[in-house]
Structure formats: C-alpha cells, structure tokens
Amino acid sequence: MKILLGTPITGILNDKSKKRCLERKKFICEFINVLRSQGHEVFCAIEIEKFGEKIAPGEICTQRDFEAMKKCDVYVAFPNDSYGCAVELGWASAFGKPIFLAINNAFGVKTPLYEGLGMIDTAQIKNYSSQLDFPQLDDKELMESLNEFLNNI
C-alpha cells in the first residue's frame, strides 16, 4: 500500500532545541521503518528533504506533494501544529483518500474541520497523549488502530 505520511516540517526544523529535533526525527524515521517493514511504500516530505538538509522551495514541494497525494492509497497524518498537513488533509478529502489522523491531546484539535473528518466514511481520528510531539512506537492502542485501519482499506 502507498502511504503518504504527513508530519510537521517547519515547526520541527525551526525549533531551537536540538534534543526535541532529534526526538522528532527519531520517531519519524522509526515510524517509517515500521510501515516499510510491513510492506508499505511510504512518501514523507521531511524524509525526502533530509530533515532540513535539502529544503525544497514552495513551487517544487507543493507540486511534488500534490502528485504524491494523487498516487497514494492512504493519508496518515500527525498534524500537530502543521499548516502543511492541513493543506494535505484538504487534498486527501477532495480525492476521497482514506485518512488516519493521529491527534496529540497536548496540541488538541486545531479546527472543527479536523473533528468533522471522523464523519467522513474514509477517515478515522485517533487521539493519543504525549508530552513529545509524537507518540511512542510502543503505544499499542494507536499502532493497533492504525494497522486495523490499513488492513480494512
């Protein structure tokens, strides 16, 4: 299955705390590896942009990510404080892509439209609690929900 993974980019890269940046990068890399070990193809912009080493300008990344959305089978997002994920959620909804939206209770739901996505047949919202931006990979409830979602597509 082709998964487009949405994560914050600018907020991660602009954070002055190297420790938080490394924690976020570690989660994203490990999460991608888990998905790939299950046989999924994963497109993730922050990975493609080498976690800030090769930032693409808007005219390139927007078209690249839009094309990736058209080709993917499912959109999985940890939107946290990301405006980019909000744009991608719009694209995914418009294309009728199945959406798995993981919301960190520390950030909350940024807009009623996120909450409303659960009313769309192809979307599932799963809340988790973490002082970090992302959950721990041993968050069995979240990972089981994601795997069940992916298996039912």
Side-chain angles (χ1 to χ4, degrees):
M1 181 171 310
K2 293 179 183 174
I3 297 172
L4 193 152
L5 176 60
T7 68
I9 295 178
T10 305
I12 291 175
L13 299 179
N14 290 341
D15 193 318
K16 305 240 184 290
S17 169
K18 294 287 185 199
K19 181 180 180 200
R20 275 197 307 265
C21 290
L22 290 173
E23 288 170 346
R24 293 165 173 158
K25 179 180 180 180
K26 180 180 180 203
F27 169 81
I28 293 168
C29 290
E30 289 177 359
F31 187 74
I32 289 170
N33 287 337
V34 166
L35 294 173
R36 288 182 176 147
S37 74
Q38 295 171 347
H40 303 295
E41 285 182 47
V42 180
F43 173 94
C44 182
I46 197 168
E47 178 189 45
I48 290 167
E49 295 182 8
K50 306 283 186 212
F51 291 87
E53 292 176 25
K54 296 185 177 187
I55 297 289
E59 61 273 7
I60 292 176
C61 69
T62 303
Q63 187 65 36
R64 177 199 66 206
D65 296 358
F66 184 73
E67 293 301 320
M69 182 64 72
K70 289 195 291 189
K71 294 175 185 173
C72 78
D73 299 310
V74 63
Y75 181 58
V76 174
F78 294 89
N80 298 351
D81 60 353
S82 172
Y83 293 113
C85 285
V87 170
E88 292 170 348
L89 281 164
W91 293 340
S93 296
F95 289 136
K97 302 290 182 175
I99 299 167
F100 186 88
L101 189 59
I103 301 287
N104 186 345
N105 292 326
F107 288 94
V109 176
K110 297 295 183 185
T111 169
L113 288 173
Y114 281 15
E115 289 175 336
L117 283 173
M119 303 305 293
I120 297 173
D121 288 344
T122 59
Q124 180 177 338
I125 298 172
K126 184 66 179 170
N127 290 73
Y128 66 93
S129 294
S130 177
Q131 293 304 316
L132 304 173
D133 288 357
F134 300 103
Q136 299 298 313
L137 286 174
D138 62 0
D139 183 331
K140 290 187 187 328
E141 185 178 338
L142 179 70
M143 297 306 289
E144 286 175 4
S145 293
L146 175 59
N147 286 327
E148 182 178 328
F149 182 79
L150 294 173
N151 290 332
N152 289 321
I153 291 176

